[in-house]
Amino acid sequence: MFPSRVTLVDVGPRDGLQNEKQPVGTEHKVALVHRLQAAGLREIEVTSYVSPKWVPQMADNAAVMAAIARPTGVRHSVLVPNMIGFESMLAAGPAARPDEIVVFGAASQAFSQRNINCSIEESIERFAPVVAAAREAGFKVRAAVSCALGCPYQGEVSADEVEHVVRLMKGIGVQHCGIADTIGVGTPRKVQAVIERALRHFPMAEVSGHFHDTYGQALANIYACLEIGLHTFDTSVAGLGGCPYAKGATGNVATEDVAFMLQGMGIETGIDLEALVQAGGFISEVLGRAPVSRAGKALLTRQGKVFA
């Protein structure tokens, strides 16, 4: 049975902009968060505390967090990959404090070895003190299990492999588990099978789906999740983000496309679609290109917006 209400977590300000090569000004990042809040988004992944050497786009993390308005009922999250990042986040002071932190681990041993030079089990050991410190400090901790439907190095990833990581995350005290199709190769029945494995260890309210549209399957995969009752999904305004493992491919599913589908299905999101589309148009103009979102682009075109 389909849920009556769905929560969309907009990851555009972090996961989307992080993939942009051109620098995006702090003021534009803050303005994007404010526009998303005004459109009704109540879960926003704002930035990440990673080394600016590796991700220069996120070097202004503390400045962005300190500048955003904090309306009641909106949860702001940040990605924290290690204790150095966690300590940097704390050092930024109370004004930059998030509501939630996010850690991530791969379901593929090959991906883990190629990207962070350690096994899955070793990566979980690194996250354990971060999770413990975060919970002691009063933060909610969300985990993302990447490459849950496929890996650019390993190929197929089994449901057993995904469940192994889900179980490890649960063991270190993570409170929410997101299942991520990092390279966008998942298809509906495979997605359902993997989500059902996560639901063995976390309640429905604490499992979410994160789908990339690399092969045009994201909306179908979200629909398949809705069929089994899942009601929380990561999305990215204007389709911000790319897939670094498939040159030229789209990345995160666009918030506008998912909101349009859910609105058509009569499922409540609390989102003002028109305001959301305008937010997507705003950040696309900042980046100097048309939105990747099909719904966003179509609705803006109907309003007379012309794209090159």
Side-chain angles (χ1 to χ4, degrees):
M1 180 180 293
F2 292 124
S4 60
R5 185 179 180 88
V6 161
T7 298
L8 299 184
V9 181
D10 201 297
V11 301
R14 199 285 297 176
D15 193 26
L17 292 181
Q18 186 166 290
N19 281 294
E20 295 294 331
K21 288 184 171 55
Q22 62 173 298
V24 179
T26 302
E27 70 279 10
H28 290 133
K29 294 173 184 175
V30 172
L32 176 60
V33 172
H34 288 170
R35 284 172 179 261
L36 292 173
Q37 292 173 171
L41 272 299
R42 292 296 174 262
E43 301 267 356
I44 303 171
E45 192 171 291
V46 180
T47 188
S48 60
Y49 282 83
V50 295
S51 169
K53 175 183 176 182
W54 300 113
V55 189
Q57 189 72 264
M58 298 288 109
D60 60 352
N61 41 36
V64 172
M65 288 300 296
I68 58 174
R70 306 296 185 98
T72 301
V74 177
R75 180 187 298 274
H76 301 97
S77 59
V78 299
L79 181 72
V80 179
N82 49 42
M83 280 303 296
I84 294 173
F86 182 74
E87 288 162 1
S88 296
M89 181 198 69
L90 291 181
R97 182 184 175 98
D99 302 295
E100 177 182 72
I101 72 159
V102 184
V103 297
F104 66 94
S108 156
Q109 288 286 6
F111 191 89
S112 186
Q113 290 287 357
R114 290 283 289 270
N115 282 268
I116 55 176
N117 199 34
C118 69
S119 69
I120 289 170
E121 292 73 20
E122 289 168 335
S123 73
I124 298 295
E125 289 177 10
R126 294 179 186 177
F127 297 142
V130 178
V131 175
R135 293 197 59 176
E136 185 176 350
F139 297 103
K140 182 173 182 179
V141 182
R142 172 163 55 97
V145 180
S146 64
C147 295
L149 277 301
C151 169
Y153 312 117
Q154 175 182 316
E156 291 284 327
V157 175
S158 71
D160 286 343
E161 290 174 290
V162 176
E163 186 175 4
H164 173 60
V165 180
V166 170
R167 187 184 293 110
L168 291 174
M169 289 291 192
K170 180 75 171 180
I172 62 171
V174 163
Q175 296 155 286
H176 180 103
C177 185
I179 298 298
D181 184 9
T182 306
I183 59 173
V185 295
T187 49
R189 288 189 176 180
K190 289 181 179 179
V191 165
Q192 287 179 335
V194 170
I195 293 294
E196 285 167 353
R197 294 298 187 96
L199 290 170
R200 293 179 180 179
H201 306 276
F202 290 85
M204 185 72 77
E206 299 297 350
V207 174
S208 57
H210 178 115
F211 300 109
H212 284 221
D213 206 31
T214 315
Y215 292 88
Q217 301 298 298
L219 288 179
N221 290 337
I222 289 172
Y223 189 94
C225 291
L226 294 170
E227 287 185 315
I228 60 175
L230 198 69
H231 53 80
T232 307
F233 301 94
D234 292 352
T235 60
S236 182
V237 64
L240 292 176
C243 181
Y245 310 104
K247 189 175 181 180
T250 57
N252 298 303
V253 65
T255 309
E256 300 95 314
D257 294 351
V258 180
F260 182 85
M261 180 181 78
L262 294 172
Q263 179 177 286
M265 295 174 68
I267 296 175
E268 181 60 46
T269 61
I271 292 173
D272 178 335
L273 183 58
E274 171 59 24
L276 175 63
V277 166
Q278 293 301 320
F282 159 76
I283 194 61
S284 296
E285 285 190 358
V286 169
L287 296 171
R289 63 167 185 262
V292 174
S293 165
R294 290 181 176 87
K297 190 173 181 179
L299 291 169
L300 287 169
T301 300
R302 280 174 53 181
Q303 296 168 13
K305 179 71 177 176
V306 177
F307 298 101

